[in-house]
Amino acid sequence: MEIPNYAYRLRINHDKVLRDLEPGKILSLLYQAEVFDLDDKDEVKAGITRKKQAEILLDKIVRSGYQNLVKFVNALQNTQPHLHRLLQEPVHGEEQAEGDRRINDITRQLYTTSLSTHHELPNCINKALRPKIGNTDRGAAFCQPSDALPPQDEGFVKPIDWNKIPSHIRPDSKHVYPMMSIPRGIALIINNEVFRHSADMTEKEKQNEELEVRLGSDADVQSLETLYEALDFKVKTERNVGREKILKILDDVSHEDHSQYDCFVLWLMSHGQNGLFYGADGDTVPIETVRDFFSNANCPSLSGKPKLIFIQACRGKRREKGVASDAPNATAPQSPQPSTNDDLSGNANGEATDKGFNFQVKKTIADHADILIANATISGYAAFRNMEKGSRFVRCVVEVFKEMAGYEEILGMLTEVNRRVSAMGEVHEKQVSEPSTTLTKKLFFWPGLQQI
């Protein structure tokens, strides 16, 4: 008996389902079935219209895997039976779409350029080609995004380009982190834009420590949310949170069960000073405390998995200066960077700094393996933020990941981020980002690819 290809049926009947779906009738059932958590429910409810809520719900469903799709269809039987009946009807071409086409496409993509050097298919493809997998006559280790509804930002991240990836690098390679789960993992964004003074500060301290509004940071949040959703992460965003809430958020997420995920991403965006991260209440959190929440000992379900921490904040007050390049035939960067141009007039090109952030990351031990920390700037120097477009570092990360995630591993992408950030700004307002890493394998995001 063939397993129904609900993803393909939903894709073909998308307009009909979108027209009739009543999210309010099904949200509670999806929550009870553990398809959605409270954050998912709130995100759906945030849609202004019924149609927008339905779009959000469908997009989240098709990204959450086959088992959750089955639960969604079953929930329709109790709430909107006519939609349940619609999705029970086989669709012409779904069998080929689910089995043969997927396997043929994958094997052709993976091995067209390397058959002369590979005599054995890797385990993931051998499994896909077996005549029986569970109760279906066809199966595949990977499913392409064409088997599901197009995401809201289809094409935001360029797809995998196997021709640019060395033939010995594949999703199941020994020295490559597994990155096939859907979602890949949690991407937590903490952005503090507006600040208030700590109740414990004296009047003099308040005068010396004036934390300005981080204008432009909301643009950073929006672009990061779009990026990580396109990379199949479950995005959670926290805005303007104080010290105690920051600690609780980090403690809660470190104690979540990440066993079904392959990665974790954390973005910290705020002011800081002397190795301390500012909460919106003016109180501080040591950056080492943030890091240690996700050590292999403190977060065992992420042990051996990549933990990526990105920090958009200054690490001092000095401003990087530019110098003329003596490289042969040195030219300006030619890569298109429409979102990294500082063309606002006045007030240092409309940019501000996240002053005073100074991280001192101690030499790591095995407990802190598999962690990458990417700073917006080097120690002692300022990081710039355009008051309309957002920060240089975030803009470059988003642009580079959009362009290169389909064929480049993360350290190669961050090297390109360094280059682009360094090329921006006037001679007295330069900046260069700085990643540090204890990663033990290569990390590719494999956009659009998933394991079932």
Side-chain angles (χ1 to χ4, degrees):
M1 178 180 177
E2 294 286 345
I3 294 178
N5 187 350
Y6 287 130
Y8 189 77
R9 295 178 188 179
L10 190 54
R11 183 185 183 192
I12 297 300
N13 293 295
H14 175 248
D15 290 345
K16 295 179 181 178
V17 175
L18 182 62
R19 181 191 65 202
D20 292 352
L21 183 63
E22 296 288 346
K25 294 181 178 180
I26 199 172
L27 269 178
S28 295
L29 292 178
L30 295 178
Y31 176 69
Q32 294 170 14
E34 298 183 341
V35 176
F36 285 173
D37 59 19
L38 290 175
D39 290 339
D40 295 320
K41 288 181 65 178
D42 290 342
E43 186 175 342
V44 173
K45 290 179 179 179
I48 298 175
T49 64
R50 180 210 61 82
K51 183 179 180 181
K52 184 61 178 177
Q53 291 181 356
E55 287 176 348
I56 297 171
L57 188 150
L58 290 175
D59 183 63
K60 296 178 79 68
I61 284 292
V62 299
R63 290 170 178 266
S64 65
Y66 183 79
Q67 294 302 321
N68 285 340
L69 192 52
V70 172
K71 293 179 181 179
F72 167 72
V73 174
N74 290 340
L76 287 175
Q77 187 173 15
N78 298 320
T79 57
Q80 295 184 269
H82 72 289
L83 292 181
H84 179 266
R85 290 192 296 270
L86 176 66
L87 296 176
Q88 294 303 315
E89 292 294 325
V91 175
H92 176 70
E94 74 173 78
E95 183 178 347
Q96 176 71 13
E98 174 66 18
D100 295 338
R101 179 189 55 74
R102 187 193 303 170
I103 296 173
N104 291 338
D105 285 350
I106 293 163
T107 53
R108 181 173 64 253
Q109 287 178 331
L110 284 171
Y111 300 104
T112 296
T113 61
S114 58
L115 284 176
S116 60
T117 57
H118 284 76
H119 304 287
E120 258 182 46
L121 296 177
N123 291 334
C124 57
I125 297 300
N126 280 327
K127 291 178 181 178
L129 296 174
R130 288 174 185 169
K132 295 276 187 181
I133 296 183
N135 294 324
T136 180
D137 293 329
R138 294 179 175 86
F142 310 136
C143 82
Q144 304 287 33
S146 57
D147 290 330
L149 287 173
Q152 212 165 4
D153 295 286
E154 186 175 22
F156 185 83
V157 175
K158 291 185 178 180
I160 299 173
D161 187 347
W162 298 108
N163 292 324
K164 293 183 178 180
I165 303 175
S167 59
H168 67 283
I169 298 295
R170 290 298 179 258
D172 66 341
S173 298
K174 179 179 179 182
H175 298 297
V176 175
Y177 283 109
M179 284 286 284
M180 302 293 292
S181 65
I182 297 293
R184 295 287 190 264
I186 293 172
L188 174 61
I189 301 168
I190 297 178
N191 178 50
N192 287 336
E193 181 180 20
V194 181
F195 299 83
R196 58 188 183 275
H197 285 121
S198 170
D200 298 331
M201 295 179 71
T202 66
E203 286 300 320
K204 184 175 181 180
E205 288 174 330
K206 290 178 182 179
Q207 293 175 4
N208 292 336
E209 200 59 57
E210 186 65 36
L211 300 175
E212 63 186 16
V213 176
R214 299 181 59 253
L215 297 175
S217 66
D218 193 56
D220 288 339
V221 171
Q222 292 179 32
S223 60
L224 289 173
E225 288 175 337
T226 302
L227 173 67
Y228 284 101
E229 286 172 0
L231 291 172
D232 291 316
F233 280 81
K234 182 177 182 179
V235 179
K236 298 183 178 182
T237 302
E238 299 285 348
R239 290 179 170 87
N240 300 323
V241 289
R243 177 183 183 276
E244 292 304 319
K245 187 172 181 181
I246 289 173
L247 292 174
K248 185 178 188 308
I249 290 168
L250 296 176
D251 185 60
D252 287 347
V253 75
S254 69
H255 283 90
E256 286 190 35
D257 182 5
H258 298 263
S259 59
Q260 300 303 312
Y261 301 145
D262 289 331
C263 184
F264 173 73
V265 174
L266 173 64
W267 273 87
L268 302 174
M269 298 189 288
S270 185
H271 293 299
Q273 185 177 359
N274 299 326
L276 303 173
F277 180 76
Y278 273 102
D281 56 2
D283 286 334
T284 56
V285 179
I287 189 60
E288 290 181 1
T289 300
V290 174
R291 180 201 62 189
D292 289 348
F293 273 112
F294 304 100
S295 69
N296 291 325
N298 291 331
C299 188
S301 63
L302 280 173
S303 179
K305 301 177 182 180
K307 282 81 67 175
L308 313 178
I309 302 174
F310 296 83
I311 302 160
Q312 169 52 42
C314 290
R315 302 172 71 188
K317 297 182 180 180
R318 286 184 288 174
R319 298 190 176 205
E320 185 78 50
K321 295 181 180 180
V323 297
S325 172
D326 291 327
N329 301 319
T331 58
Q334 298 300 311
S335 300
Q337 301 176 50
S339 71
T340 56
N341 293 325
D342 299 306
D343 56 2
L344 294 181
S345 61
N347 191 20
N349 291 325
E351 294 186 324
T353 66
D354 296 325
K355 57 188 177 184
F357 209 91
N358 181 24
F359 292 109
Q360 299 293 331
V361 180
K362 293 181 180 178
K363 184 178 180 180
T364 58
I365 57 175
D367 186 31
H368 294 89
D370 306 297
I371 296 176
L372 179 144
I373 300 178
N375 285 288
T377 188
I378 61 174
S379 179
Y381 284 82
F384 291 92
R385 174 177 25 84
N386 187 288
M387 294 184 183
E388 289 186 5
K389 299 178 181 179
S391 67
R392 295 179 185 178
F393 179 55
V394 173
R395 283 181 281 158
C396 287
V397 167
V398 172
E399 289 293 332
V400 170
F401 282 31
K402 281 171 59 176
E403 296 171 17
M404 300 174 64
Y407 63 87
E408 184 62 85
E409 54 97 22
I410 194 167
L411 294 184
M413 290 194 289
L414 290 177
T415 299
E416 175 63 13
V417 169
N418 289 351
R419 186 189 71 80
R420 295 194 187 187
V421 172
S422 177
M424 298 174 69
E426 301 299 328
V427 67
H428 294 292
E429 295 175 348
K430 304 299 286 186
Q431 175 184 339
V432 63
S433 49
E434 182 184 47
S436 62
T437 175
T438 63
L439 295 180
T440 58
K441 298 180 181 181
K442 293 184 180 298
L443 175 58
F444 291 82
F445 285 103
W446 308 119
L449 214 55
Q450 63 177 290
Q451 189 169 23
I452 61 174

